[in-house]
Amino acid sequence: MFCEACGGRLTTKIPPGDGRLRAVCMACGHIRYDNPKLVVGCIPLAGSRLLLCRRAIEPRYGTWTLPAGFMENGESTAAGAARETLEEAGAQVTDLVPYMLIDVPDVHQVHLFFRATLLDSRFECGDESLEARLFEEDELPWNELSFPTVIATLRQHVRDRASGQFGFHRHTISRSAPAR
Ligand SMILES: [Zn+2]
């Protein structure tokens, strides 16, 4: 690998004053930090129903998911979640409320899901989806969901719907602590 600052060769070492191995340029000393990525998404709601998309891409082709993806530079978390919802489900959302923060340390990610209200009844699947549709909670395709983060978020949502209290939740999903 090469340095993003000068194109020089990178080596792996612990920089002075640091406690971790980093990729450091042998020519200019630039340090390439490798930090977790933020994935943002929505639970798009229409009354008691929520919108899921069926993935047209790998990984987990054909499974159902909440619209979510990597946050882009220069946007807010809420704007990123709304953008992903528009791209994957062709749906416009409003009133985004932070709902679920999930640490996924094994893959160096943090996932943030917002509860959001569908602006109108228009939605259509985007390029990354085979299908988009509204589900009542008792129709959710539990055996065909895409990722542990989506399963954990939907399980929490079902529990909160039963209690009538939607708070803000924090989970960790890892090899030693699977989705619950
Ligand atoms: Zn360099």
Side-chain angles (χ1 to χ4, degrees):
M1 269 184 291
F2 297 94
C3 174
E4 62 206 2
C6 79
R9 277 195 177 284
L10 299 179
T11 186
T12 302
K13 66 176 188 183
I14 300 177
D18 200 334
R20 292 171 181 269
L21 283 169
R22 309 283 186 191
V24 181
C25 178
M26 293 193 284
C28 78
H30 179 80
I31 303 169
R32 203 194 62 165
Y33 291 97
D34 189 14
N35 299 109
K37 292 204 181 305
L38 190 61
V39 172
V40 289
C42 280
I43 307 171
L45 297 159
S48 62
R49 295 182 298 168
L50 52 90
L51 187 64
L52 298 183
C53 314
R54 208 149 71 81
R55 290 173 64 80
I57 50 174
E58 296 291 351
R60 309 302 316 271
Y61 180 97
T63 55
W64 291 93
T65 195
L66 291 165
F70 291 110
M71 187 179 176
E72 298 287 359
N73 292 341
E75 70 184 0
S76 69
T77 50
R83 175 183 52 72
E84 289 289 343
T85 305
L86 186 60
E87 288 175 6
E88 295 184 6
Q92 287 194 292
V93 286
T94 183
D95 300 332
L96 281 75
V97 179
Y99 179 65
M100 181 73 146
L101 184 71
I102 309 176
D103 289 311
V104 198
D106 295 334
V107 292
H108 315 147
Q109 293 176 3
V110 177
H111 292 226
L112 176 61
F113 285 96
F114 293 81
R115 300 181 77 235
T117 305
L118 282 165
L119 206 57
D120 52 40
S121 57
R122 278 180 311 194
F123 57 86
E124 59 191 23
C125 59
D127 292 343
E128 296 177 3
S129 306
L130 297 168
E131 189 180 350
R133 65 161 275 208
L134 290 164
F135 289 87
E136 294 287 353
E137 283 187 344
D138 60 8
E139 307 174 322
L140 287 170
W142 292 107
N143 296 324
E144 300 167 59
L145 293 176
S146 55
F147 299 110
T149 49
V150 171
I151 294 169
T153 301
L154 290 174
R155 279 184 186 156
Q156 185 69 58
H157 206 262
V158 168
R159 285 197 290 269
D160 284 2
R161 175 97 68 194
S163 74
Q165 297 282 336
F166 295 95
F168 181 70
H169 304 276
R170 233 187 74 190
H171 288 229
T172 299
I173 295 177
S174 65
R175 279 184 282 272
S176 55
R180 57 190 162 83

